[in-house]
Amino acid sequence: MNHLQDPEPGLESLNGRTLASGDLLIRVGGDGEVMRVSLQGELDLSSAGALTGELDRLFDGRSQAIVLDLEQLEFIDSTGIACLVGAVRRDARGVLRVAGARGEVERLFRITGLDGYLPKSD
Amino acid sequence: MGELSQAPDWGNSTDRAVPPELLLRLSAEPSAAAQARDALAAFAETMPAEALADLRLVVTELVTNSVKYGPGGPIVVSVKRGSDGAVSGEVLDGGRAGVRMRRSPNPAGGGLGLQIVDAVASAWGVRPRSTRVWFRIDPIWVA
């Protein structure tokens, strides 16, 4: 369980939190050991910093598995790609997995060669 | 916030049925690319979804480059759709330094943006002695 402050109390859930940054909604939930970070919207320069902050916070915790759910991510650019690559590189314990990339996001993963680099959960 | 207005004149265009044409003036801030993408929705009804996705990506990368590396003044984006279905446009930020691709982009560092533009645009280039970048996206999208 985490009991972190949520900047937008209306979006808070019992065992997680939701942040909005730019056109991105970041939902973090789980039991502490297994965490799911779900992205909804668009990941670019206006939101990459917020995602980096959330993932680094989880890397510093006791999570044994972190699933980054991209099912509802509709857009990603080079800044978003760099954010994901940076996260994988900082994941010293190797707990991060990526799931659910589709559409434009999946296409950019293919164009950049990232689809073979990211650890997948599904 | 950026302003959105119809382009006043694209020169030789006489057929008013061919537009939409866009002229955007954006502040150099992190949300600039998202504002540009919102404005590109004006093309949604007249472009294939794949070409619109390419356009969104190219404009995002060029605007983001201007936000990160430009002189900090307004970023101007112009996009027009030709009668042949091709979409062309320019992004300029008043910089003079020129734009070049790195040979081996570091995905966690930078240089990846123009590699993506190169992969997605049908053609692109930089006007001499400027950071004025032009691009063209042809109507047929090849994966």
Side-chain angles (χ1 to χ4, degrees), chain B residues 40 54-55 58-59 62 77-80 87-91 117 121-125 127 133-137:
Chain B
L40 291 174
D54 289 346
L55 178 63
V58 167
V59 169
L62 296 180
V77 179
S78 64
V79 181
K80 63 175 176 176
V87 172
S88 57
E90 285 192 339
V91 176
V117 170
S122 305
W124 72 282
R127 306 288 180 206
V133 183
W134 62 270
F135 64 86
R136 198 184 79 243
I137 294 169

Short mmCIF file of all heavy atoms in Angstrom, two decimals, chain B residues 40 54-55 58-59 62 77-80 87-91 117 121-125 127 133-137:
data_model
loop_
_atom_site.label_atom_id
_atom_site.label_comp_id
_atom_site.label_asym_id
_atom_site.label_seq_id
_atom_site.Cartn_x
_atom_site.Cartn_y
_atom_site.Cartn_z
N LEU B 40 -4.17 20.26 -36.06
CA LEU B 40 -4.11 19.42 -37.25
C LEU B 40 -5.37 18.58 -37.43
O LEU B 40 -5.59 17.99 -38.49
CB LEU B 40 -2.88 18.50 -37.20
CG LEU B 40 -1.54 19.22 -37.35
CD1 LEU B 40 -0.39 18.23 -37.13
CD2 LEU B 40 -1.41 19.86 -38.73
N ASP B 54 1.12 10.42 -39.79
CA ASP B 54 2.46 10.86 -40.19
C ASP B 54 2.61 12.37 -39.99
O ASP B 54 3.63 12.84 -39.49
CB ASP B 54 2.71 10.53 -41.67
CG ASP B 54 2.89 9.04 -41.91
OD1 ASP B 54 3.08 8.31 -40.93
OD2 ASP B 54 2.83 8.63 -43.08
N LEU B 55 1.59 13.11 -40.38
CA LEU B 55 1.63 14.57 -40.25
C LEU B 55 1.75 14.98 -38.79
O LEU B 55 2.55 15.86 -38.44
CB LEU B 55 0.36 15.17 -40.89
CG LEU B 55 0.20 16.69 -40.82
CD1 LEU B 55 1.31 17.39 -41.58
CD2 LEU B 55 -1.17 17.10 -41.38
N VAL B 58 5.39 14.24 -37.66
CA VAL B 58 6.40 15.14 -38.23
C VAL B 58 6.31 16.52 -37.58
O VAL B 58 7.32 17.10 -37.15
CB VAL B 58 6.25 15.23 -39.76
CG1 VAL B 58 7.06 16.39 -40.32
CG2 VAL B 58 6.66 13.92 -40.42
N VAL B 59 5.09 17.06 -37.48
CA VAL B 59 4.92 18.39 -36.89
C VAL B 59 5.34 18.37 -35.42
O VAL B 59 6.01 19.29 -34.93
CB VAL B 59 3.47 18.88 -37.06
CG1 VAL B 59 3.20 20.12 -36.21
CG2 VAL B 59 3.19 19.17 -38.53
N LEU B 62 9.22 18.41 -35.23
CA LEU B 62 9.84 19.68 -35.63
C LEU B 62 9.54 20.78 -34.62
O LEU B 62 10.41 21.59 -34.28
CB LEU B 62 9.36 20.07 -37.03
CG LEU B 62 9.78 19.10 -38.15
CD1 LEU B 62 9.26 19.59 -39.51
CD2 LEU B 62 11.30 18.92 -38.21
N VAL B 77 4.04 27.45 -37.63
CA VAL B 77 3.80 26.20 -38.35
C VAL B 77 2.83 26.50 -39.47
O VAL B 77 1.76 27.08 -39.23
CB VAL B 77 3.19 25.12 -37.43
CG1 VAL B 77 2.93 23.82 -38.22
CG2 VAL B 77 4.08 24.86 -36.23
N SER B 78 3.18 26.14 -40.71
CA SER B 78 2.23 26.27 -41.81
C SER B 78 2.08 24.91 -42.47
O SER B 78 3.06 24.19 -42.66
CB SER B 78 2.70 27.33 -42.81
OG SER B 78 3.91 26.93 -43.41
N VAL B 79 0.86 24.55 -42.77
CA VAL B 79 0.57 23.27 -43.40
C VAL B 79 -0.50 23.50 -44.46
O VAL B 79 -1.48 24.20 -44.21
CB VAL B 79 0.04 22.23 -42.38
CG1 VAL B 79 -0.24 20.89 -43.07
CG2 VAL B 79 1.01 22.04 -41.23
N LYS B 80 -0.27 22.96 -45.64
CA LYS B 80 -1.31 23.06 -46.66
C LYS B 80 -1.43 21.73 -47.40
O LYS B 80 -0.46 20.97 -47.50
CB LYS B 80 -1.00 24.18 -47.64
CG LYS B 80 0.26 23.99 -48.44
CD LYS B 80 0.40 25.10 -49.48
CE LYS B 80 1.71 24.96 -50.23
NZ LYS B 80 1.84 25.96 -51.30
N VAL B 87 0.48 16.64 -48.61
CA VAL B 87 0.45 17.69 -47.60
C VAL B 87 1.87 18.20 -47.43
O VAL B 87 2.81 17.42 -47.29
CB VAL B 87 -0.08 17.15 -46.26
CG1 VAL B 87 0.08 18.18 -45.16
CG2 VAL B 87 -1.54 16.75 -46.41
N SER B 88 2.03 19.52 -47.49
CA SER B 88 3.36 20.08 -47.29
C SER B 88 3.28 21.16 -46.22
O SER B 88 2.21 21.71 -45.95
CB SER B 88 3.90 20.66 -48.60
OG SER B 88 3.01 21.63 -49.11
N GLY B 89 4.42 21.43 -45.62
CA GLY B 89 4.40 22.42 -44.56
C GLY B 89 5.80 22.86 -44.17
O GLY B 89 6.80 22.36 -44.71
N GLU B 90 5.84 23.81 -43.25
CA GLU B 90 7.10 24.34 -42.74
C GLU B 90 6.96 24.63 -41.25
O GLU B 90 5.87 24.96 -40.78
CB GLU B 90 7.48 25.65 -43.43
CG GLU B 90 8.00 25.48 -44.85
CD GLU B 90 8.63 26.76 -45.37
OE1 GLU B 90 8.34 27.85 -44.84
OE2 GLU B 90 9.42 26.65 -46.31
N VAL B 91 8.07 24.51 -40.55
CA VAL B 91 8.14 24.94 -39.15
C VAL B 91 9.34 25.86 -39.04
O VAL B 91 10.45 25.49 -39.44
CB VAL B 91 8.28 23.75 -38.19
CG1 VAL B 91 8.46 24.22 -36.75
CG2 VAL B 91 7.06 22.83 -38.29
N VAL B 117 11.41 11.92 -38.39
CA VAL B 117 10.94 12.75 -39.50
C VAL B 117 11.42 12.16 -40.82
O VAL B 117 10.65 12.03 -41.79
CB VAL B 117 11.44 14.21 -39.36
CG1 VAL B 117 11.15 15.01 -40.63
CG2 VAL B 117 10.78 14.88 -38.16
N ALA B 121 8.35 11.24 -43.23
CA ALA B 121 8.04 12.21 -44.29
C ALA B 121 8.48 11.67 -45.64
O ALA B 121 9.46 10.93 -45.74
CB ALA B 121 8.74 13.54 -44.00
N SER B 122 7.75 12.05 -46.69
CA SER B 122 8.16 11.65 -48.04
C SER B 122 9.40 12.41 -48.46
O SER B 122 10.24 11.91 -49.21
CB SER B 122 7.02 11.94 -49.02
OG SER B 122 5.84 11.30 -48.60
N ALA B 123 9.51 13.65 -48.01
CA ALA B 123 10.69 14.48 -48.26
C ALA B 123 10.74 15.55 -47.18
O ALA B 123 9.71 15.94 -46.64
CB ALA B 123 10.61 15.12 -49.64
N TRP B 124 11.95 16.02 -46.87
CA TRP B 124 12.09 17.12 -45.92
C TRP B 124 13.45 17.76 -46.11
O TRP B 124 14.34 17.18 -46.75
CB TRP B 124 11.90 16.66 -44.48
CG TRP B 124 13.04 15.84 -43.94
CD1 TRP B 124 13.29 14.52 -44.19
CD2 TRP B 124 14.09 16.30 -43.07
NE1 TRP B 124 14.44 14.12 -43.54
CE2 TRP B 124 14.94 15.18 -42.84
CE3 TRP B 124 14.39 17.52 -42.47
CZ2 TRP B 124 16.07 15.28 -42.02
CZ3 TRP B 124 15.52 17.61 -41.66
CH2 TRP B 124 16.33 16.48 -41.45
N GLY B 125 13.60 18.96 -45.61
CA GLY B 125 14.88 19.63 -45.72
C GLY B 125 14.87 20.92 -44.92
O GLY B 125 13.88 21.26 -44.28
N ARG B 127 15.82 25.10 -45.03
CA ARG B 127 16.17 26.27 -45.84
C ARG B 127 17.57 26.74 -45.44
O ARG B 127 17.92 26.71 -44.25
CB ARG B 127 15.16 27.40 -45.62
CG ARG B 127 13.70 27.02 -45.83
CD ARG B 127 13.36 26.82 -47.28
NE ARG B 127 11.95 26.45 -47.45
CZ ARG B 127 11.49 25.75 -48.49
NH1 ARG B 127 12.30 25.34 -49.45
NH2 ARG B 127 10.20 25.47 -48.58
N VAL B 133 12.42 24.47 -41.38
CA VAL B 133 12.38 23.10 -41.89
C VAL B 133 11.10 22.89 -42.69
O VAL B 133 10.01 23.23 -42.22
CB VAL B 133 12.44 22.08 -40.74
CG1 VAL B 133 12.46 20.65 -41.28
CG2 VAL B 133 13.67 22.33 -39.87
N TRP B 134 11.24 22.35 -43.90
CA TRP B 134 10.07 22.06 -44.72
C TRP B 134 9.89 20.54 -44.81
O TRP B 134 10.83 19.77 -44.59
CB TRP B 134 10.20 22.66 -46.13
CG TRP B 134 11.36 22.11 -46.92
CD1 TRP B 134 12.64 22.60 -46.95
CD2 TRP B 134 11.36 20.93 -47.75
NE1 TRP B 134 13.42 21.81 -47.76
CE2 TRP B 134 12.67 20.79 -48.27
CE3 TRP B 134 10.39 20.00 -48.11
CZ2 TRP B 134 13.02 19.73 -49.12
CZ3 TRP B 134 10.73 18.96 -48.96
CH2 TRP B 134 12.04 18.84 -49.46
N PHE B 135 8.66 20.13 -45.11
CA PHE B 135 8.41 18.69 -45.25
C PHE B 135 7.27 18.46 -46.23
O PHE B 135 6.49 19.36 -46.51
CB PHE B 135 8.07 18.06 -43.90
CG PHE B 135 6.81 18.57 -43.29
CD1 PHE B 135 5.57 18.02 -43.61
CD2 PHE B 135 6.84 19.61 -42.38
CE1 PHE B 135 4.41 18.50 -43.05
CE2 PHE B 135 5.67 20.10 -41.82
CZ PHE B 135 4.46 19.55 -42.15
N ARG B 136 7.20 17.26 -46.74
CA ARG B 136 6.08 16.86 -47.59
C ARG B 136 5.67 15.43 -47.24
O ARG B 136 6.52 14.58 -47.00
CB ARG B 136 6.46 16.94 -49.07
CG ARG B 136 5.25 16.96 -50.01
CD ARG B 136 5.64 16.95 -51.47
NE ARG B 136 6.00 15.60 -51.89
CZ ARG B 136 7.20 15.24 -52.32
NH1 ARG B 136 8.16 16.13 -52.40
NH2 ARG B 136 7.44 13.99 -52.67
N ILE B 137 4.37 15.21 -47.17
CA ILE B 137 3.85 13.87 -46.92
C ILE B 137 2.91 13.51 -48.07
O ILE B 137 1.90 14.18 -48.29
CB ILE B 137 3.12 13.81 -45.57
CG1 ILE B 137 4.12 14.04 -44.43
CG2 ILE B 137 2.40 12.46 -45.40
CD1 ILE B 137 3.48 14.28 -43.09
#
